[in-house]
Amino acid sequence: MANLTVEAIELTRLYGGRAAVSDVTFQLQQGQVLGFLGPNGAGKSTTMKMLTGNLAPSAGSVKICGIDMMEHPKQAKALIGYLPEMRPLYKEFTVDEYLTIAARLHQVPSGQIKKAVAHAKERCGLTHMSKRLIENLSNGYQQRVGIAQAIIHNPMVVILDEPTVGLDPIQIRDIRALIKEIGQAHSVIVSTHILPEVEMVCDHVQIIDKGQLVFNGGIDVLKQQRIGNKLLVGLRHPPEAAALRAIPGVTAVEAIDGLWRVQFAEGAQPHEAIAQAAVAQQWGLYHLAPDQTSLEDVFVQLTYHDAATDAPAKAA
Ligand code: ADP
C-alpha cells in the first residue's frame, strides 16, 4: 500500500518474563486517526514507546513509512512526533524558546526554525502565548505546547499518549478539535481509556486488553456493535408482558425504569407491529426507539475475561 505510514508487526514486550504487550500487529495509513483504547495497564504506553523507538521490542518490528525502526532508528524517528504521557516540557522557558529548542532537536534546518515555530503555534492556538513562561500556562495550554513540539517538524506520524487526561471539559473539546485537524494531513495515533473520545476524534479504533488486541476496525464497525436488536417502548397503560411477547419477531420483554425493553430476533422488524398493537389496544404509546448498547458495554464485552481460561469472551 503506497501511503502506509505505520506498520506494527507482531510486537511483543516482556517485563520480567511477563508480557506487557503480546503479538500486536496493525497498520495505519496517511490521513487516518487511530484510537488506541484500553483500560489502565492494558499496554498502550508500552506499545507507543515501541512505535516511537523509545523502547526496544522483545520481539516483532516497527516500520514507519516503510523504514525499519530497529535498522534505521534515526530516519524512522525523524518521521514521528510524539507526546508521551509525561509531557516533555521545560517549564522555565517561554513557549517560543521551548519550541525553538524542540525544532532544533527535531533537526529542522536553522533557516526554517522561525517559520516552523510560528506554524506550530498557529495550529495549536498558541500564538498569543508566545512570550509566556510555560510554567505560568494552564494545563490545557501546556498540553497544546506538548502537541506543538510533536508537530513542529511536520512529521508523517503523530503519536499522542492520553492527550486529554487531566484537562477540563473546554480544554478537552479544544484538544480533540486540534487532533482532528492534525489528522487530516498526518497519521495520528491517540491513546485513551475514554470511549466517547474515540468516537469523537478517530476513524479507526483498536482495543487492547492485557497486552492483546481484542478489536481492530473502523469506528463504524464499533458503532454498529451498539445498535443491536433491542427496542425501548414506553406505554402509559402497559399490558401484561405476555401481550408484548406475543408480537411476531419479539423474543423477550423486560421492564426497566418505567419502559419496556423489547428484544427481537435478528432480521425481524417488530416496530410497526408494536405501534399497531399499542394503538389498537390503547396502551398509550409515547416512546419507541432503538436501545443502543453503550460503548462502555461493548468495551466490557470485548475485554471481559473468563477468569478460568483468561481468554477474551468475545474477540473481534
Ligand atoms: P497503559 O498505558 O495501557 O496504562 P502500560 O503500557 O503502561 O499500560 O503498562 C502495561 C503493563 O506493563 C502494566 O501491567 C504495567 O504495570 C507493566 N509495565 C509498564 N512499564 C513497566 C516497567 N518499566 N517495568 C515493569 N512493568 C512495566
Side-chain angles (χ1 to χ4, degrees):
M1 228 174 290
N3 57 356
L4 217 51
T5 48
V6 178
E7 289 166 89
I9 306 149
E10 295 168 9
L11 275 183
T12 294
R13 172 71 200 198
L14 304 174
Y15 283 120
R18 206 183 137 262
V21 171
S22 181
D23 207 18
V24 164
T25 295
F26 66 90
Q27 297 179 337
L28 196 64
Q29 292 178 46
Q30 192 174 359
Q32 287 184 339
V33 180
L34 169 70
F36 203 47
L37 190 65
N40 287 327
K44 301 182 297 294
S45 295
T46 304
T47 305
M48 292 189 145
K49 285 181 197 157
M50 289 192 280
L51 293 176
T52 52
N54 286 288
L55 182 71
S58 307
S61 59
V62 172
K63 285 184 185 171
I64 306 296
C65 301
I67 300 169
D68 191 289
M69 181 61 80
M70 300 296 274
E71 287 171 15
H72 306 286
K74 221 172 154 190
Q75 289 100 310
K77 283 184 188 181
L79 298 167
I80 298 177
Y82 177 39
L83 177 63
E85 209 175 352
M86 301 294 285
R87 288 188 289 238
L89 301 180
Y90 301 111
K91 296 191 178 179
E92 61 277 30
F93 288 118
T94 66
V95 170
D96 269 353
E97 286 165 350
Y98 172 72
L99 290 179
T100 303
I101 295 168
R104 284 207 193 103
L105 287 174
H106 282 301
Q107 325 257 322
V108 175
S110 48
Q112 290 169 30
I113 287 180
K114 254 190 148 163
K115 208 169 139 196
V117 169
H119 190 52
K121 281 189 300 185
E122 192 192 316
R123 290 181 79 184
C124 297
L126 282 167
T127 309
H128 60 302
M129 297 289 175
S130 303
K131 305 292 175 218
R132 294 274 293 269
L133 285 179
I134 294 174
E135 66 187 356
N136 294 338
L137 296 180
S138 68
N139 207 4
Y141 271 99
Q142 291 193 10
Q143 191 69 334
R144 287 176 193 229
V145 178
I147 296 176
Q149 67 76 33
I151 62 171
I152 195 128
H153 52 309
N154 201 26
M156 289 296 287
V157 179
V158 178
I159 299 183
L160 309 171
D161 199 349
E162 301 266 5
T164 59
V165 159
L167 303 185
D168 69 36
I170 293 175
Q171 294 165 343
I172 289 175
R173 187 197 60 194
D174 291 350
I175 295 292
R176 285 177 182 163
L178 176 60
I179 293 167
K180 270 187 127 167
E181 199 261 323
I182 293 170
Q184 287 168 11
H186 309 253
S187 293
V188 182
I189 302 180
V190 192
S191 81
T192 178
H193 59 276
I194 307 163
L195 269 165
E197 181 152 289
V198 165
E199 225 181 3
M200 276 176 238
V201 302
C202 304
D203 42 45
H204 278 69
V205 61
Q206 282 175 5
I207 299 179
I208 188 167
D209 183 49
K210 299 193 175 164
Q212 293 184 320
L213 281 187
V214 294
F215 180 88
N216 182 6
I219 193 75
D220 291 346
V221 180
L222 189 67
K223 286 182 184 168
Q224 197 61 36
Q225 295 222 3
R226 300 172 66 194
I227 293 172
N229 58 340
K230 289 183 208 126
L231 288 170
L232 279 181
V233 183
L235 303 169
R236 257 180 266 284
H237 316 293
E240 293 291 313
L244 280 166
R245 218 175 294 123
I247 294 170
V250 172
T251 54
V253 174
E254 178 193 2
I256 45 147
D257 300 333
L259 294 170
W260 292 90
R261 181 182 281 145
V262 175
Q263 206 161 321
F264 53 89
E266 213 168 306
Q269 290 285 333
H271 314 53
E272 225 176 303
I274 291 171
Q276 278 170 359
V279 172
Q281 295 172 62
Q282 301 185 345
W283 292 341
L285 178 68
Y286 65 90
H287 183 91
L288 181 64
D291 179 26
Q292 290 204 333
T293 313
S294 75
L295 269 173
E296 267 73 13
D297 286 342
V298 172
F299 184 73
V300 170
Q301 279 167 27
L302 291 169
T303 58
Y304 170 72
H305 280 64
D306 185 317
T309 61
D310 208 34
K314 192 173 151 197

